[in-house]
Amino acid sequence: MSTYVDRSSKGKIKISRPNKGQLKFRMLIIATILFTIAGFFMMDYKGLELWPAITGTLVNLRDMFLMPQLNQITLGSAIWQVIITLSLAFLSTILGAVISLFLAFGAAMNLSKPWVSQTIKTFITIVRAVPTVLWVLIFAIAAGLGSVAAIIGMVFHSIAYLVKAYSEAFEEIDEGKIEALRATGSNYFHILFHVVIPQTKSFLIAWTFLRFEINFGVAVAMGAAAGAGGIGYALFMSSGFYYDMNEVGMITYMILIVAILLEVVANKLKAAA
Amino acid sequence: MNVETLTRPDNTAEKKTQEVVFPFPEEAAQEKLSVEDVPVIMEIKNIDKSYSGSSKVLKDISFDIRKGEVLSIIGPSGAGKSTLLRIINRMIEPNSGVIRFQDKDTLNMKGKALRHMRTDIGMIFQHYNLVDRLSVFENVLHGRLGYKSSLQGIFSMYSEAEKEKAVEIISELGISEQIYSRCDELSGGQKQRVGIARALIQDPKIILCDEPIASLDPNSSRIIMEYLRRISREKDITIIVNLHQLDVAKQYSDRIIGLNDGSIVFNDVPEAITAESINHIYGSNLEELIVE
């Protein structure tokens, strides 16, 4: 019998020997399951009548998704509001992408000096750690609640996101291609525009579009939270003010259609690049 | 009869390769004068190089480079061949020494002067190092960027003369059918020819080749080496080539430099190479090496 084999207390052979990290992870999973079960027993169910709650929710869902219709606003103005929200997202993505491109050249280790790269990376990590909504509210102190604060906040967070994505794409570039152009006597800008950008173009487009989709979602939320207008504000009015579930459903469908269209366009563009 | 029908396709294939290999006018290919008559274009003196902390990669390297010669650098892996090649166009800075190129000391050059010096030295690589999402044409024109200002370069403002020169070089190298193809659609041999075209359009005095055939099949390797030798003969451009294949070095070079552990242990014509000198370069006997 081999002495290399571990046995359980009952003498059965173990087929793996977990290391310290795996043991910790196992403890974490067990603790999470225990707390979740304990949590159910500690909740306060006093005011809740289960059956009316379930039926009420189902009725609301039916009103929203099976009987969507616009009551407070016309279809034309709803579409106009969607366009406003799209514009907010578009503007903040474009501004963010242009600024990010240049910051990412500085942040990429292979195109920049180590201290410049470290400074930019630290800065954007801090910016990214704070949620977009908080940035919008911070800028609202100076710009007042509205679309200006929303766009500045969204640009800020977009930059933090895109600089990381772009600079990581740049760092993947084969060092040999840069060396080849340096050997022809090309300068820094030639290398950026003739190696770095052509080689990473499809990544840049993919990341920018992903951020555009995120910004569209954020712009909907900002319409309500920061008074930036657009379809988000209409959604807030029909749910919180008029309690009109049919209209909430209609607006949700409109947002969904726009999101799907964006996805389709993004894939087409990526294939073309 | 049977044999003849079998060999005929081979003959035509051979002929086609010949057309690809020898696109330059035949009469231009003349034998060279003896080495001593040819002017020296670069003097390399007492070059030392060590990477931080480690032992010396190159120790007291001195040799002359003559106009239009094919110079092979051979030696075991880690002998410092690639470092030596990159010191010639200052992609790597040596710790001490002197390099005189066209009566100028290249090691003191900065900025514009350095870029200008690099336009006189082309370089090709084992892994070709093309921007493979761009076309063959665009990659070849990259060889002109060294002559451009930042703005001219960023907006690809190449003159008609430069474009015509590029088309001419591309057709000389037998890749004109692929001129608008993306470089990731090419075979290895074709990619290396694009690399040669990018070096040639620089109008260089020297072309540095870092293991140009290490990733190629034997036939493509032969085509590339033929091209390099013909470039040196017909355009009077010096070819300096790092090689792992001893027999290729013997067949194609005018002179061989043997490098072992950062020092030059052999520097002579290929005919002078003996079993003893091979032992010096590679540190083992000829019978123990795979020379093919």
Side-chain angles (χ1 to χ4, degrees), chain A residues 174-187 189-191 193-195 198-203 273, chain B residues 86 89 91 115 118-119 121 123 125 129-134 142 145-146 148-150 153-154 156 158 198 202:
Chain A
D174 177 14
E175 203 58 42
K177 298 186 199 316
I178 294 170
E179 185 190 27
L181 252 72
R182 277 214 302 142
T184 66
S186 301
N187 69 19
F189 293 101
H190 297 157
I191 290 169
F193 284 85
H194 286 275
V195 181
Q199 202 65 19
T200 55
K201 201 165 67 187
S202 59
F203 286 102
Chain B
R86 281 167 175 74
N89 64 348
M91 300 298 285
R115 282 182 59 203
R118 283 183 180 153
T119 61
I121 304 180
M123 191 164 189
F125 305 84
N129 292 351
L130 308 173
V131 183
D132 34 47
R133 283 155 187 277
L134 295 180
H142 282 170
L145 287 175
K148 305 272 171 198
S149 70
S150 295
I154 288 170
S156 303
Y158 302 111
R198 178 172 65 187
Q202 282 179 237

Side-chain angles (χ1 to χ4, degrees), chain B residues 15-282:
Chain B
K15 197 152 181 255
K16 208 172 169 199
T17 327
Q18 292 286 327
E19 278 168 11
V20 176
V21 178
F22 301 116
F24 300 111
E26 273 296 330
E27 61 269 23
Q30 291 167 350
E31 268 312 301
K32 293 207 74 77
L33 302 165
S34 70
V35 175
E36 281 69 29
D37 302 333
V38 183
V40 170
I41 54 166
M42 184 181 265
E43 290 171 58
I44 294 171
K45 281 186 200 143
N46 312 108
I47 292 290
D48 278 303
K49 173 68 189 175
S50 59
Y51 293 107
S52 53
S54 62
S55 60
K56 278 188 173 175
V57 185
L58 293 176
K59 299 164 198 159
D60 198 25
I61 298 283
S62 302
F63 63 97
D64 291 341
I65 297 167
R66 289 173 192 277
K67 193 163 171 53
E69 69 175 339
V70 178
L71 171 61
S72 294
I73 302 174
I74 60 170
S77 300
K81 300 192 294 293
S82 289
T83 307
L84 177 57
L85 212 61
R86 281 167 175 74
I87 281 174
I88 291 173
N89 64 348
R90 276 193 57 198
M91 300 298 285
I92 292 176
E93 300 289 333
N95 296 82
S96 63
V98 180
I99 297 179
R100 289 195 69 77
F101 177 47
Q102 298 179 323
D103 294 323
K104 288 187 195 106
D105 183 2
T106 68
L107 296 183
N108 294 328
M109 288 178 177
K110 279 194 185 105
K112 236 182 181 159
L114 177 62
R115 282 182 59 203
H116 186 261
M117 183 272 285
R118 283 183 180 153
T119 61
D120 281 332
I121 304 180
M123 191 164 189
I124 68 172
F125 305 84
Q126 178 184 351
H127 298 295
Y128 328 118
N129 292 351
L130 308 173
V131 183
D132 34 47
R133 283 155 187 277
L134 295 180
S135 69
V136 168
F137 206 173
E138 286 170 294
N139 267 286
V140 172
L141 285 168
H142 282 170
R144 297 303 298 180
L145 287 175
Y147 295 94
K148 305 272 171 198
S149 70
S150 295
L151 278 182
Q152 283 174 326
I154 288 170
F155 295 108
S156 303
M157 288 154 70
Y158 302 111
S159 70
E160 284 307 300
E162 284 172 325
K163 289 181 210 165
E164 272 159 25
K165 184 86 186 299
V167 173
E168 188 189 316
I169 291 174
I170 288 169
S171 58
E172 271 181 13
L173 288 163
I175 41 175
S176 26
E177 276 177 39
Q178 284 83 18
I179 190 162
Y180 290 115
S181 306
R182 261 170 61 151
C183 283
D184 48 8
E185 296 164 3
L186 305 182
S187 71
Q190 289 171 330
K191 283 183 186 175
Q192 195 57 288
R193 284 189 248 166
V194 177
I196 294 174
R198 178 172 65 187
L200 275 181
I201 201 168
Q202 282 179 237
D203 209 1
K205 308 284 184 294
I206 300 176
I207 295 180
L208 307 173
C209 313
D210 189 19
E211 311 265 1
I213 57 170
S215 304
L216 296 177
D217 65 67
N219 191 43
S220 306
S221 299
R222 190 178 66 87
I223 293 171
I224 294 299
M225 289 310 295
E226 293 282 354
Y227 272 127
L228 292 177
R229 188 166 62 177
R230 296 183 73 87
I231 287 164
S232 93
R233 293 291 181 272
E234 287 152 21
K235 299 179 193 271
D236 221 12
I237 295 171
T238 305
I239 306 285
I240 305 177
V241 53
N242 275 357
L243 282 173
H244 267 307
Q245 299 88 335
L246 186 59
D247 60 324
V248 177
K250 276 184 183 171
Q251 190 185 343
Y252 290 98
S253 4
D254 300 313
R255 190 152 61 100
I256 295 179
I257 285 182
L259 215 56
N260 184 311
D261 197 23
S263 305
I264 292 181
V265 294
F266 180 87
N267 181 1
D268 208 338
V269 291
E271 293 77 37
I273 211 158
T274 59
E276 197 192 349
S277 45
I278 287 167
N279 191 2
H280 265 126
I281 298 166
Y282 289 101

Side-chain angles (χ1 to χ4, degrees), chain A residues 69-82 230-238 242 244 247-248 250-251 254:
Chain A
Q69 72 180 90
L70 293 172
N71 299 321
Q72 324 302 331
I73 51 172
T74 61
L75 182 67
S77 78
I79 290 174
W80 181 243
Q81 298 299 324
V82 170
I231 197 72
Y233 186 69
L235 186 65
F236 170 72
M237 288 303 283
S238 53
Y242 298 111
D244 184 344
E247 193 165 270
V248 170
M250 187 65 188
I251 290 173
M254 291 178 80

Side-chain angles (χ1 to χ4, degrees), chain A residues 206-252:
Chain A
W207 281 112
T208 310
F209 245 91
L210 185 62
R211 186 64 214 186
F212 183 47
E213 286 169 28
I214 295 173
N215 277 351
F216 180 66
V218 174
V220 171
M222 285 312 113
I231 197 72
Y233 186 69
L235 186 65
F236 170 72
M237 288 303 283
S238 53
S239 64
F241 196 74
Y242 298 111
Y243 196 66
D244 184 344
M245 282 301 153
N246 309 87
E247 193 165 270
V248 170
M250 187 65 188
I251 290 173
T252 308

Side-chain angles (χ1 to χ4, degrees), chain A residues 107-121:
Chain A
M109 279 289 192
N110 51 347
L111 303 174
S112 177
K113 293 188 167 62
W115 70 268
V116 177
S117 168
Q118 277 308 323
T119 312
I120 295 176
K121 279 183 174 169

